[in-house]
Amino acid sequence: MPTDAHPGPLRVLVLGAALRAGSSNARLASLVGRMMTEAGAMVDLAAMREFDMPLYDGDVEAEGGVPDGALALRDRLERCDAFVIASPEYNASLPGVVKNAIDWVSRIRPQPFKTKHALLVSASPSLVGGNRGLWALRVPLEHLGTRVYPDMFSLAAAHRGFTEDGQLTDPALQERLRETVTAFLHLVEADARYVCLQRRWYEFPGDRTEAPVTQRAED
């Protein structure tokens, strides 16, 4: 019988997905990271520029394998219980550099995104705060088996959304972000610490009532 054994704090990779160093999404990632640290998590704050990789090309992969940048991102993902992506919105969708990183990392086995918990946040000067880009970002992540948290956070008018010390100018939005971060960590904690939670599988209602108990949904 498995035991509830997960010593130490939760580990979360917080990725600022914009390449520009002064990006609003870098500031949002930093704020989320501080909130998670205050909540007791161990945060690995990263920027997309740390993971340099060419555009995905099957010939490049066949000749030289997966590039070092994708392997480095894989390593950071594997060391964490969950990850956060603070992503800009480009033309109502996700940035190409983000999709390219997902495509490269997805080529690695075992597949690093599978069963990881993810929280998606965005900051944009637009009135919808990058929300359309987050809906597009959910698609490849969920396809790869990531458990994307239902509640996403989008900061509109981000060019005037931060105080000088990196907090949000709107106290109500600051509180909503904190509540979202806290709830997400509670979910990750339940999955990471209580691994003995089990479930029964049934093909049809009432079928196989003596079905064996399985450890995980993916079993």
Side-chain angles (χ1 to χ4, degrees):
M1 178 67 69
T3 60
D4 298 340
H6 188 282
L10 294 175
R11 300 154 300 181
V12 184
L13 173 66
V14 180
L15 176 64
L19 292 176
R20 186 169 63 89
S23 165
S24 295
N25 283 280
R27 301 184 73 181
L28 184 58
S30 180
L31 175 58
V32 169
R34 290 197 302 274
M35 287 180 172
M36 289 188 162
T37 299
E38 291 167 2
M42 181 180 293
V43 172
D44 178 9
L45 185 62
M48 186 60 75
R49 62 174 55 244
E50 298 175 44
F51 308 107
D52 185 43
M53 59 193 86
L55 292 176
Y56 178 75
D57 183 332
D59 291 337
V60 171
E61 182 184 11
E63 291 175 9
V66 177
D68 290 342
L71 293 173
L73 181 54
R74 182 275 313 272
D75 292 343
R76 304 275 281 272
L77 282 167
E78 287 189 340
R79 289 197 291 266
C80 290
D81 301 300
F83 64 93
V84 179
I85 299 180
S87 176
E89 177 182 283
Y90 290 174
N91 298 313
S93 189
L94 72 159
V97 66
V98 178
K99 181 59 165 59
N100 187 58
I102 292 172
D103 290 343
W104 268 117
V105 173
S106 73
R107 300 295 296 169
I108 302 169
R109 297 294 181 271
Q111 209 279 95
F113 291 109
K114 184 175 173 60
T115 73
K116 290 285 186 184
H117 288 278
L119 174 64
L120 304 183
V121 300
S122 64
S124 169
S126 76
L127 295 179
V128 294
N131 188 260
R132 296 166 300 186
L134 295 186
W135 280 109
L137 178 54
R138 293 185 73 99
V139 175
L141 291 176
E142 291 181 332
H143 171 75
L144 293 169
T146 303
R147 297 163 179 170
V148 182
Y149 191 63
D151 192 11
M152 303 181 293
F153 179 86
S154 298
L155 177 65
H159 53 293
R160 55 176 183 269
F162 294 92
T163 63
E164 290 187 3
D165 62 352
Q167 307 299 311
L168 299 185
T169 55
D170 186 332
L173 281 178
Q174 175 93 3
E175 183 58 27
R176 178 175 171 254
L177 178 59
R178 189 178 300 279
E179 290 175 353
T180 300
V181 165
T182 300
F184 174 70
L185 289 177
H186 286 167
L187 176 65
V188 177
E189 181 178 32
D191 186 61
R193 298 191 187 281
Y194 303 108
V195 296
C196 68
L197 292 176
Q198 301 175 329
R199 65 174 65 185
R200 290 184 182 274
W201 286 97
Y202 305 97
E203 294 184 17
F204 301 100
D207 186 30
R208 295 190 63 196
T209 55
E210 298 301 320
V213 177
T214 57
Q215 260 186 262
R216 292 286 209 183
E218 59 266 26
D219 292 341

